[in-house]
Amino acid sequence: MKRILVVSHCILNTASKVAQNEEELAEEYRAKRRLLSLVMEKDVQMIQLPCPEFILYGSRRWGHVKDQFLHPHFQKECRKMLEPILVQLEEYMAYPKEYEILGIVSVEGSPSCGYGLTCRGEWGGEVGDKAETDRRRDTLTMEQEPGVLMQILEEELKKRRMELSILSMDKAAEVLQDL
């Protein structure tokens, strides 16, 4: 039987992430190395989710919060990007004796691909007014809720009656460790 993990885009391609202090990513990179090491050790296959932020805003974008993506165009584009992934999952799940989908792996804190944790706040507007930019930065919080892509993916899975767990990298590594 082939086992498959569906992974957030930047787990395999950190070049797609918004530019940030690499030291702040140390914990995320540790979790990623552990997960990918177990993927190789356990011979698990992977399907890579799209990165809507990179596709829609490119490599030179500013960091965003979930609130900025809660608009019809972004949500519509996420649904379009997810459609080929959902079709693949339907195909694999049609043959449970041959394939097992182990889950979907999130990147916690992401406004798109976080699941248990995402960034929210009144971010946006011009950056020229330092006082206003500081005020908006002070509204930023990490909330225990899914990012926009994961929220839409979960909705689409439910519509198709596909039951799959959405896991953090650490939780996914635990699942692989137990194989």
Side-chain angles (χ1 to χ4, degrees), residues 58-141:
S59 63
R60 300 185 58 84
R61 68 194 182 277
W62 291 101
H64 288 82
V65 296
K66 178 179 178 178
D67 304 77
Q68 292 171 290
F69 298 146
L70 290 173
H71 63 83
H73 178 71
F74 190 87
Q75 294 169 328
K76 178 180 144 202
E77 291 301 313
C78 284
R79 281 187 175 80
K80 282 172 37 181
M81 289 177 215
L82 287 170
E83 187 58 32
I85 303 298
L86 291 160
V87 170
Q88 290 174 63
L89 293 175
E90 286 176 319
E91 174 66 13
Y92 288 125
M93 293 176 82
Y95 301 98
K97 292 179 181 173
E98 296 173 46
Y99 306 103
E100 179 185 9
I101 309 295
L102 299 172
I104 298 163
V105 187
S106 65
V107 174
E108 296 309 312
S110 167
S112 295
C113 292
Y115 185 69
L117 197 62
T118 193
C119 188
R120 301 222 43 188
E122 297 176 30
W123 195 236
E126 283 292 330
V127 294
D129 181 343
K130 183 175 176 355
E132 180 60 16
T133 300
D134 289 347
R135 185 197 70 75
R136 288 177 183 271
R137 186 188 60 238
D138 290 344
T139 71
L140 303 180
T141 59

Side-chain angles (χ1 to χ4, degrees), residues 18-44:
V18 70
Q20 56 193 301
N21 181 331
E22 291 291 312
E23 290 175 14
E24 293 175 7
L25 295 171
E27 186 64 24
E28 180 181 313
Y29 287 174
R30 179 208 55 78
K32 181 177 84 160
R33 278 190 298 278
R34 179 174 176 235
L35 175 65
L36 294 178
S37 178
L38 285 164
V39 162
M40 298 303 289
E41 177 186 324
K42 304 288 185 168
D43 197 27
V44 172

Side-chain angles (χ1 to χ4, degrees), residues 5-9 11-12 35 46-50 103-105:
L5 262 184
V6 180
V7 298
S8 293
H9 188 89
I11 292 173
L12 299 179
L35 175 65
M46 289 182 287
I47 296 173
Q48 184 179 30
L49 290 171
I104 298 163
V105 187

Side-chain angles (χ1 to χ4, degrees), residues 152-179:
I152 290 170
L153 178 55
E154 191 170 47
E155 290 168 10
E156 294 298 321
L157 289 169
K158 284 180 185 172
K159 282 182 193 173
R160 290 167 167 83
R161 295 185 185 96
M162 298 189 314
E163 293 183 28
L164 292 173
S165 297
I166 301 178
L167 313 162
S168 68
M169 282 189 269
D170 286 334
K171 193 55 96 174
E174 290 175 20
V175 168
L176 295 184
Q177 189 67 53
D178 292 340
L179 292 179

